[in-house]
Amino acid sequence: MTGVRAQQKEKTRRQLIDAALNQLSAERSFSSLSLREVAKEAGLAPTSFYRHFADMDELGLTLVDEAGLTLRQLMRQARQRIEKGGSVINISVKTFMEFIEDNANIFRLLLRERSGTSAEFRAAVSREIRYFTLELADYLQAANQLDREIALLQADAAVTVVFSAGADALDMNPSERDLLSQRTISQLRFIARGAADFSARITNRQKAN
C-alpha cells in the first residue's frame, strides 16, 4: 500500500505542476496565478495543494528546476543527434528551436523569472542557466580540445545568443523562425571561429615559450 500511496502522491504533484505550466502564456506569468486556479486546473481541492507544496513560491521554484532539467536533457538530445553525423551548430540550433516550439511555457517561465521581482526565483533561474552553460563548456572543451577558460567563454556567449533568439522565436511564425535560426547559426559560427583562433594563439604562444 505504501508504494501505491507514493505513486498517487507523485501523480497528484505532477498534476499541479502541469496545471501551472498549462496556464502560463504570453499574457499570463507565473506571478499572476493563484493557488485556487492551479488546484482547479488540476482537478483538486485547494487544501490538497498543501500536501505537496508549502505555497506558490515552492511550486514556482519546482517549475524552474524542471525547466533547467529540460534544458540539460535538450543538450544531451542534441549530442545524440550530433553523434549520428551533421553540423554541431546546425543540429544544436534546430534542437533548441524545437524545444521552444514544444515547450514555450517552460521557456517563458525562465525568461520572465530571470528578471522578475523575486530574488529567490532570479537566483534559481541563474543557477539552472549556469548548469546548462557548464555542461556545454564541458562538451566544447572535450570536442574541440579547447582551453577551459576559452570553452567557458564560448559556452557563455553561445547561451546568450541562443536565449536571445529563443525569446524572439516565441512570437514568430515558422518562416520567420527559419530565418532567425539561420542568423543564429551564423552568429554561433562566428563565436566558434573566434574561440578556435584564440585557442590556437594560446597554444602557439605556449609552444614558443
Side-chain angles (χ1 to χ4, degrees):
M1 285 296 291
T2 303
V4 173
R5 278 198 296 269
Q7 287 178 6
Q8 183 57 48
K9 185 175 181 180
E10 180 55 34
K11 181 181 177 181
T12 305
R13 187 174 185 274
R14 184 73 244 171
Q15 284 175 255
L16 289 166
I17 291 171
D18 290 341
L21 283 173
N22 289 340
Q23 291 181 84
L24 299 178
S25 67
E27 292 74 34
R28 293 210 70 181
S29 63
F30 179 78
S31 61
S32 72
L33 300 182
S34 71
L35 185 154
R36 287 185 175 277
E37 284 178 310
V38 172
K40 183 179 179 181
E41 177 74 14
L44 302 168
T47 50
S48 298
F49 181 96
Y50 294 106
R51 297 193 191 113
H52 305 277
F53 301 100
D55 50 30
M56 285 293 287
D57 281 351
E58 185 178 342
L59 172 59
L61 291 170
T62 299
L63 294 182
V64 170
D65 288 344
E66 181 153 308
L69 176 61
T70 303
L71 276 175
R72 291 195 293 281
Q73 288 173 338
L74 171 79
M75 176 60 63
R76 292 158 196 158
Q77 193 180 87
R79 280 201 210 107
Q80 289 173 353
R81 288 185 175 187
I82 290 164
E83 286 171 2
K84 296 176 183 177
S87 164
V88 171
I89 291 176
N90 282 10
I91 291 171
S92 297
V93 171
K94 181 181 179 182
T95 305
F96 191 80
M97 288 302 177
E98 287 172 356
F99 165 76
I100 298 298
E101 189 172 353
D102 297 337
N103 304 276
N105 288 352
I106 289 179
F107 192 64
R108 281 195 182 95
L109 176 76
L110 285 174
L111 289 177
R112 283 171 173 157
E113 300 307 333
R114 190 181 190 184
S115 57
T117 57
S118 168
E120 192 174 13
F121 275 43
R122 290 198 305 273
V125 174
S126 294
R127 182 174 62 249
E128 294 301 330
I129 292 174
R130 183 63 177 165
Y131 290 154
F132 181 70
T133 303
L134 288 172
E135 194 162 324
L136 175 58
D138 289 341
Y139 172 76
L140 292 171
Q141 183 179 10
N144 300 330
Q145 306 298 307
L146 294 178
D147 174 81
R148 181 61 181 173
E149 275 305 310
I150 294 175
L152 284 168
L153 286 170
Q154 182 181 349
D156 191 51
V159 169
T160 299
V161 167
V162 168
F163 265 66
S164 177
D168 291 338
L170 285 170
D171 299 314
M172 288 182 170
N173 61 44
S175 60
E176 290 173 330
R177 195 173 288 173
D178 285 342
L179 289 173
L180 175 63
S181 293
Q182 291 306 312
R183 186 165 72 247
T184 304
I185 287 168
S186 295
Q187 291 170 333
L188 293 177
R189 283 177 177 159
F190 287 147
I191 293 169
R193 179 62 183 270
D197 287 351
F198 195 24
S199 183
R201 288 184 193 178
I202 290 176
T203 300
N204 290 337
R205 193 179 304 138
Q206 289 173 341
K207 288 179 179 178
N209 293 334

